[in-house]
């Protein structure tokens, strides 16, 4: 829940708006004055211990605190009718075939939900300000940021910290608990997938500690706006891609703890990065994604297994599709807006769609080599 | 906390209540290493470990009883194998897989893990999982892609072909430079026919013992699902049980498709709060919590919400088994499964006088957190009872 008081603050975009007329103020806190939010403060990981300290889900026998916070806030908005529809009323089924793709019938599905969110919530220029929060305060659930104590804690109705991740309910959910994760820093615009941001996202996944919690990133969308938006949702059954066999490509158990595999027999060429060492994982993904972005290559990321496993789905422009496919589609989960489409969904049709955006063999081979060389030269 | 000793008792009695107290002696006579786990107890704990298992791993019985099987996994355990086991549990079927486990002293060893579910004959419910673990003797690792985990042999061949590319050279160095002491343990070991036969035989012996002793209590078990009976409480798939077991709040699930909306699941915290045992509440409607001081208007409100398939929060006076009353902050919500239809209603209780939330959440947040977790878990089911995917 967010409450906002009317306050006169100076808007401050130090990097942009050369002709704003206002002084470059040192007091950036003023930008967010009056915004109160629930805050989840992550505990500090002991120095020198790069590992997150927990094995993949479910490391503990009980629901984590962050999981409780996220689900309770989401359920609260759902109950209050602030979402466009109850996604749990949507029928889902597994399609006949050996790939076991999953399809959902959702006649209220809005395929432009992400663009609309960007346009309404995020300004094209400028870091997050109180105006952002004000306009969407009902769906802003809470904020995650790095705390100063050893253990994590929840602080209700407090000041928004100067940087962190805003967790915002998606009113057009693909599944239960669908949220936007928007990293922010009131002093500057986020740089494309910088290491600190990826680390914070991974730490959030680790802290939620639920095998159902999946985090998504679509690079194609991010290229359009200056803000980086992650998404997350709860899929209690693993996405189809998670059940496919993998072939190892690279393994370095001792120094970085990173394993890289490729997914076998899958229509979309996919790499998987696994490590219990959060530092290594965020390092390698950040470098690879920067590299891909510099080359203008589009990709999707799927983070699973409590923040210890990342699927990389590189995409090319498709000749048969008018838009790139979303991350859950890369994972084998498709939403149909009409009963006709849903009833006639076939594995053949889906295979064609996925294959049309997949890299070819030689491009994929180059990507594998790139990832290996980055992994080998990884500076921790 | 009260529920811990309740749980300990459940763990202790898990086998004897079903198979009579003589089953422990019979199981002790079997030499093979195996574990028996109970998916209906929160945390899916081990309820029995054979002498052979304890000898193989170096643990004492008390150190593994009540713990979850993941304690034997470690850093080099292949995640895919762990996932395959998890999927087999979820789908309530047999799995046979080679996996790297760790002994108490931290040394890794390869085992053939063969697990199968034990079904109750009258309701087809999974009562226990039996997991036999046959050590795999060290042999040269073979090349070729197998389902049982990382195979470095294939990588070396792949790398060799791309001689002119820099990174492959480095990659080869990484493999070669690996600590050779660890290398042997981490080289995946494939189970041979000998080990597979040993595992199958062990499973049969255990099954025979369990079946024989279950006849003594009249509650027979078998190795295959014998078809669920129509009467009695709809059985929950063990995967749902395991997911629900992670939720620490007091709550029950009720089945709106059965007459009088019986309770089909009750959390340990619910039993602690109300003083009833699980057998006393399963199959009954929640109204046994009501009493002379319970407001009739509130009950009408609850009924109205359920009819309208809506969520509601109410406050009412409820009664424990011992007759004492408590102010109950009750939240009720319909819960849908993968087909989009309502499968259950979840009812989360909170004793308003107790000050036991110390994690910073408000009472409402604490309750809704449980509701959300239940909704996520149930959404994975394709029908209101039975496993989510057809058994193999």
């Amino acid at each position: 829940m967010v409450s906002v008081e009317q306050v006169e603050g100076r808007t401050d975009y130090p990097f942009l708006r050369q002709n704003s007329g206002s002084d470059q103020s040192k007091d950036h806190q003023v930008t967010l004055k009056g915004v109160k939010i629930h805050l989840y403060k992550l505990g500090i990981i002991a120095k020198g211990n790069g590992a997150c300290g927990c094995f993949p889900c479910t490391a503990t026998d009980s629901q984590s605190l962050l999981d409780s916070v996220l689900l309770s806030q989401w359920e609260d908005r759902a109950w209050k009718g602030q979402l466009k529809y109850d996604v749990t009323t949507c029928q889902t089924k597994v399609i006949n075939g050996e790939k076991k793709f999953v399809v959902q019938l959702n006649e209220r599905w809005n395929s432009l939900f992400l663009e609309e969110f960007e346009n309404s919530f995020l300004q094209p220029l400028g870091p997050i300000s109180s105006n952002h929060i004000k306009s969407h305060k009902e769906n802003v659930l809470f904020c995650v940021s790095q705390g100063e104590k050893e253990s994590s804690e929840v602080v209700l109705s407090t000041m928004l910290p100067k940087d962190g991740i805003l967790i915002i309910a998606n009113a057009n959910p693909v599944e239960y608990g669908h949220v936007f994760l928007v990293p922010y820093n009131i002093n500057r615009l986020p740089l494309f997938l910088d290491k600190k941001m990826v680390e914070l996202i991974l730490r959030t996944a680790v802290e939620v500690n639920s095998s159902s919690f999946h985090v998504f990133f679509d690079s194609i969308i991010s290229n359009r706006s200056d803000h980086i938006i992650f998404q997350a949702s709860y899929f209690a059954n693993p996405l189809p891609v998670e059940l496919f066999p993998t072939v190892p490509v690279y393994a370095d158990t001792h120094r970085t703890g990173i394993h890289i595999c490729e997914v076998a027999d899958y229509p979309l060429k996919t790499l998987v990065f696994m490590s219990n060492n959060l530092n290594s994982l965020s390092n390698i993904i950040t470098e690879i994604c920067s590299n891909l972005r510099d080359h203008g290559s589009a990709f999707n990321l799927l983070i699973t297994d409590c923040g210890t496993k990342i699927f990389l789905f590189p995409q090319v422009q498709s000749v048969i599709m008018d838009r790139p496919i979303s991350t859950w589609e890369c994972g084998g989960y498709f939403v149909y807006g009409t009963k006709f489409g849903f009833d006639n969904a076939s594995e053949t049709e889906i295979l064609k769609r996925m294959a049309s955006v997949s890299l070819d063999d030689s491009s994929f081979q180059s990507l594998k080599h790139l990832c290996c060389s980055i992994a080998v030269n990884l500076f921790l | 906390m009260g529920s811990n000793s309740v749980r300990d008792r459940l763990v202790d009695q898990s086998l004897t209540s079903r198979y009579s107290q003589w089953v422990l002696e019979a199981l002790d006579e079997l030499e093979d290493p195996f574990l028996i786990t109970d998916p209906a107890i929160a945390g899916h704990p081990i309820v029995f470990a054979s002498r052979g298992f304890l000898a193989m791993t170096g643990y004492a019985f008390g150190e593994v009883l009540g713990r979850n099987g993941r304690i034997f996994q470690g850093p080099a355990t292949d995640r895919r194998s762990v996932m395959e086991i998890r999927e087999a549990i979820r789908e309530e079927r047999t799995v046979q897989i080679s996996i790297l486990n760790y002994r108490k002293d931290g040394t890794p060893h390869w085992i053939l893990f063969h697990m199968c579910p034990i079904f109750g004959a009258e309701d087809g419910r999974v009562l226990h999982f039996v997991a036999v673990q046959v050590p795999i003797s060290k042999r040269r690792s073979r090349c070729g892609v197998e389902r049982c985990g990382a195979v470095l042999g294939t990588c070396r061949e792949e790398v060799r072909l791309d001689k002119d590319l820099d990174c492959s050279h480095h990659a080869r160095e990484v493999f070669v430079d690996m600590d050779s002491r660890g290398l042997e343990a981490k080289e995946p070991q494939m189970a041979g026919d000998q080990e597979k036969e040993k595992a199958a035989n062990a499973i049969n012996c255990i099954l025979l013992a369990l079946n024989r002793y279950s006849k003594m209590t009249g509650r027979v078990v078998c190795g295959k699902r014998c078809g669920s009976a129509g009467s009695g409480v709809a059985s929950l798939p063990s995967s749902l049980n395991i997911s629900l077991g992670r939720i620490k709040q007091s709550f029950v699930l009720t089945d709106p498709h059965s007459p009088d909306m019986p309770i089909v699941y009750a959390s340990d915290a619910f039993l602690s709060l109300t003083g009833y045992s699980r057998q006393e509440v399963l199959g009954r409607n929640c109204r046994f919590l009501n009493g002379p001081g319970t407001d009739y208007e509130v009950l009408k409100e609850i009924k109205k919400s359920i009819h309208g398939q809506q969520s509601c929060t109410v406050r009412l006076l409820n009664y424990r088994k011992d007759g004492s009353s408590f102010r109950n902050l009750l939240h009720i919500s319909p819960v849908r499964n993968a087909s989009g239809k309502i499968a259950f209603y979840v009812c989360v209780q909170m004793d308003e006088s107790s000050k036991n939330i110390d994690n910073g959440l408000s009472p409402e947040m604490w309750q809704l957190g449980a509701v959300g977790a239940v909704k996520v878990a149930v959404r994975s089911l394709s029908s209101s009872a039975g496993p989510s995917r057809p058994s193999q």
Side-chain angles (χ1 to χ4, degrees):
Chain A
M1 266 242 300
V2 177
S3 70
V4 174
E5 301 155 14
Q6 288 289 13
V7 149
E8 285 233 47
R10 278 185 284 191
T11 53
D12 228 326
Y13 304 136
F15 285 43
L16 310 138
R17 297 235 185 132
Q18 287 90 340
N19 50 350
S20 70
S22 60
D23 297 333
Q24 292 279 340
S25 169
K26 293 282 187 285
D27 185 12
H28 301 297
Q29 286 293 338
V30 174
T31 315
L32 288 170
K33 197 164 177 188
V35 177
K36 291 232 184 302
I37 200 167
H38 292 329
L39 180 59
Y40 186 93
K41 296 166 84 162
L42 293 165
I44 299 187
I45 310 180
K47 250 220 150 124
N49 176 19
C52 60
C54 70
F55 290 115
C57 340
T58 47
T60 60
D61 289 332
S62 60
Q63 186 186 20
S64 75
L65 185 58
L66 182 53
D67 196 37
S68 289
V69 173
L70 205 160
L71 288 172
S72 68
Q73 294 309 287
W74 208 87
E75 176 65 19
D76 176 70
R77 302 306 186 275
W79 184 23
K80 290 190 171 124
Q82 281 160 20
L83 308 180
K84 296 262 162 63
Y85 51 83
D86 179 357
V87 69
T88 64
T89 60
C90 297
Q91 186 189 356
T92 63
K93 67 179 182 187
V94 179
I95 295 200
N96 284 330
E98 49 167 54
K99 309 290 186 207
K100 299 209 183 357
F101 293 127
V102 180
V103 295
Q104 179 193 111
L105 171 57
N106 185 348
E107 279 154 334
R108 313 274 303 271
W109 177 246
N110 175 5
S111 54
L112 299 173
F113 76 92
L114 191 51
E115 287 89 324
E116 285 177 14
F117 171 72
E118 277 190 314
N119 294 335
S120 66
F121 184 79
L122 301 169
Q123 292 179 292
L125 291 174
I128 297 282
S129 76
S130 56
N131 291 323
H132 294 120
I133 319 269
K134 268 186 238 172
S135 63
H136 271 257
K137 61 181 162 92
E138 292 117 19
N139 283 352
V140 178
L141 301 184
F142 63 102
C143 172
V144 175
S145 76
Q146 181 59 58
E148 330 77 30
K149 300 193 186 154
E150 238 186 76
S151 56
S152 305
E153 60 174 341
V154 173
V155 187
L156 302 182
S157 258
T158 185
M159 285 274 295
L160 196 67
K162 63 171 169 49
D163 63 53
I165 305 178
L166 282 173
I167 313 288
I168 302 162
N170 179 1
N172 298 285
V174 70
E175 251 305 340
Y176 190 86
H178 192 170
V179 294
F180 298 108
L181 298 101
V182 185
Y184 75 94
N185 184 315
I186 61 169
N187 297 332
R188 56 178 172 84
L189 279 174
L191 302 170
F192 181 78
L193 285 194
D194 67 61
K195 197 206 154 197
K196 193 155 179 278
M197 178 197 301
V198 173
E199 210 171 79
L200 199 54
I201 294 279
L202 284 178
R203 279 220 58 202
T204 302
V206 170
E207 198 86 357
V208 167
N209 197 30
S210 164
S211 53
S212 310
F213 189 68
H214 292 67
V215 182
F216 310 103
F217 179 75
D218 293 16
S219 76
I220 299 130
I221 310 294
S222 283
N223 284 338
R224 286 200 233 114
S225 90
D226 291 309
H227 285 273
I228 311 297
I229 305 175
F230 287 79
Q231 301 172 59
S233 191
Y234 287 82
F235 292 87
N237 289 332
L239 290 178
V241 71
E242 297 179 72
L243 300 176
F244 277 75
T246 54
V247 177
V249 169
Y250 174 92
D252 171 17
T253 321
H254 293 270
R255 189 175 71 96
T256 59
I258 290 179
H259 290 249
I260 306 179
C261 298
E262 71 172 277
V263 179
D265 303 327
Y266 201 63
L268 185 57
K269 300 243 186 310
T270 306
L271 285 178
V272 192
F273 299 81
M274 293 166 281
S275 178
N276 282 342
N277 185 323
L278 191 127
N279 193 27
S280 301
L281 200 54
S282 49
N283 257 319
I284 194 173
I285 278 296
T286 308
E287 271 209 55
I288 290 172
C289 293
S290 298
N291 211 295
L292 288 173
R293 197 216 196 190
D294 291 344
H295 286 100
S297 307
F299 62 91
N300 296 45
L301 295 177
L302 168 66
I303 304 175
T304 64
D305 276 29
C306 308
T308 61
K309 193 188 255 194
I310 304 184
F311 290 80
L312 171 65
F313 303 103
Q315 276 197 56
V316 299
Q317 187 90 21
S318 161
V319 291
I320 65 172
M321 294 195 28
D322 55 357
R323 57 169 183 85
I325 66 176
S326 61
T327 312
W328 48 83
E329 290 178 320
C330 294
Y333 190 99
F334 294 82
V335 180
Y336 287 83
T338 66
K339 187 142 197 339
F340 181 78
F342 176 78
D343 287 341
N344 294 302
S346 72
E347 183 171 284
T348 331
E349 168 231 333
I350 290 177
L351 284 173
K352 240 193 286 181
R353 257 202 273 173
M354 292 176 82
S356 75
V357 295
S358 174
L359 290 188
D360 60 30
D361 284 333
S362 68
S363 309
F364 191 55
Q365 199 67 8
S366 308
L367 177 64
K368 278 194 279 184
H369 288 312
L370 170 72
C371 292
C372 285
S373 85
I374 290 178
V376 165
N377 296 311
L378 201 63
F379 177 73
L380 291 180
Chain B
M1 204 162 111
S3 53
N4 256 347
S5 59
V6 167
R7 185 178 179 271
D8 289 343
R9 222 169 342 121
L10 284 173
V11 168
D12 285 333
Q13 294 170 359
S14 172
L15 288 180
T16 53
S17 63
R18 188 80 201 191
Y19 311 107
S20 89
Q21 63 214 76
W22 290 283
V23 74
L24 295 176
E25 274 183 44
L27 292 174
D28 256 338
E29 283 172 28
L30 299 172
E31 285 179 356
D32 301 282
F34 66 92
L35 296 173
I36 304 182
T37 60
D38 188 337
I41 303 178
H44 194 182
I46 296 166
V47 295
F48 184 86
S50 72
R51 283 181 299 114
F53 180 86
L54 299 174
M56 179 178 78
T57 56
Y59 284 98
F61 191 75
E63 288 172 324
V64 305
L65 188 71
R67 312 282 304 275
N68 181 280
R70 77 176 74 86
I71 61 172
F72 307 112
Q73 296 159 19
T77 305
D78 179 47
R79 296 295 150 229
R80 265 216 59 80
S81 307
V82 173
M83 179 155 249
E84 284 200 46
I85 296 172
R86 204 174 348 133
E87 281 300 290
I89 292 174
R90 203 167 60 84
E91 295 179 11
E92 297 178 337
R93 57 170 168 80
T94 300
V95 65
Q96 190 187 75
I97 192 173
S98 299
I99 190 171
L100 187 73
N101 264 6
Y102 287 73
R103 302 186 187 92
K104 180 176 175 180
D105 61 9
T107 55
H109 62 130
W110 282 91
I111 53 154
L112 176 66
F113 181 90
H114 183 132
M115 181 190 78
C116 82
I118 308 289
F119 299 94
E122 77 272 12
D123 58 6
R125 200 159 52 96
V126 171
L127 302 165
H128 294 102
F129 283 98
V130 174
V132 169
Q133 320 201 354
V134 178
I136 299 176
S137 51
K138 291 199 186 66
R139 54 170 77 84
R140 226 171 21 93
S141 78
R142 290 167 20 225
C143 289
V145 178
E146 287 277 347
R147 293 174 81 236
C148 64
V151 179
L152 299 177
T154 313
C155 297
R156 289 204 184 96
E157 284 189 75
E158 243 183 27
V159 163
R160 250 207 313 273
L161 289 169
D162 300 312
K163 276 192 269 250
D164 35 316
L165 287 151
D166 264 351
C167 78
S168 64
H169 177 71
H170 290 139
R172 205 177 338 133
E173 277 177 358
V174 168
F175 289 133
V176 167
D177 282 342
M178 268 160 67
D179 181 7
S180 59
R181 178 172 41 94
L183 186 63
E184 217 190 296
K186 277 143 198 171
E187 286 274 341
Q189 303 288 332
M190 252 72 76
D193 288 331
Q194 202 184 24
E195 279 115 2
K196 290 183 186 172
E197 214 181 294
K198 204 160 189 279
N201 284 337
I203 288 271
N204 280 334
C205 288
I206 300 166
L207 260 173
L208 269 172
L210 293 180
N211 176 267
R212 180 164 41 160
Y213 286 96
S214 70
K215 292 191 172 120
M216 295 179 85
T217 59
R219 300 158 74 200
V220 181
V221 302
C222 51
K224 287 196 185 344
R225 192 185 299 275
C226 312
S228 20
S231 65
V233 169
S235 58
L236 296 187
S238 47
S239 63
L240 182 61
N241 260 317
I242 295 171
S243 303
L244 296 177
R246 295 183 80 224
I247 306 170
K248 295 305 163 196
Q249 291 85 327
S250 162
F251 72 96
V252 295
L253 287 191
T254 61
D255 179 4
H257 306 294
S258 291
D260 206 26
M261 249 180 100
I263 294 175
V264 294
Y265 182 92
S267 71
D268 289 346
F270 174 82
L271 304 177
S272 291
L273 170 65
T274 58
Y276 290 96
S277 74
R278 193 160 271 113
Q279 284 92 317
E280 288 173 318
V281 308
L282 286 182
R284 296 176 65 186
N285 180 286
C286 292
R287 72 173 67 85
F288 63 83
L289 293 173
N290 302 334
T294 308
D295 187 347
Y296 183 65
E297 290 302 319
V298 172
L299 296 180
K300 280 207 309 192
E301 199 187 323
I302 294 174
K303 207 164 179 179
K304 195 165 142 219
S305 289
I306 293 178
H307 268 297
Q309 300 184 349
Q310 301 288 322
S311 305
C312 67
T313 295
V314 298
R315 287 177 160 79
L316 75 173
L317 198 67
N318 273 158
Y319 294 79
R320 299 190 184 86
K321 181 176 178 182
D322 65 6
S324 62
S325 66
F326 63 97
R327 289 230 72 86
N328 188 1
L329 176 68
L330 178 68
H331 180 95
I332 301 178
S333 189
V335 183
R336 296 170 185 275
N337 60 26
S339 69
K341 304 206 174 12
I342 296 180
F344 308 106
Y345 275 82
V346 62
C347 314
V348 189
Q349 301 82 14
M350 176 169 290
D351 183 349
E352 292 202 272
S353 63
S354 73
K355 312 260 183 292
N356 56 1
I357 311 173
D358 54 3
N359 51 24
L361 301 185
S362 67
E364 291 76 18
M365 284 171 88
W366 185 232
Q367 285 201 313
L368 290 183
V371 173
V374 170
K375 289 193 173 182
V376 169
V378 174
R379 181 71 174 150
S380 69
L381 302 183
S382 60
S383 57
S384 52
S388 56
R389 294 186 195 194
S391 318
Q392 307 292 16

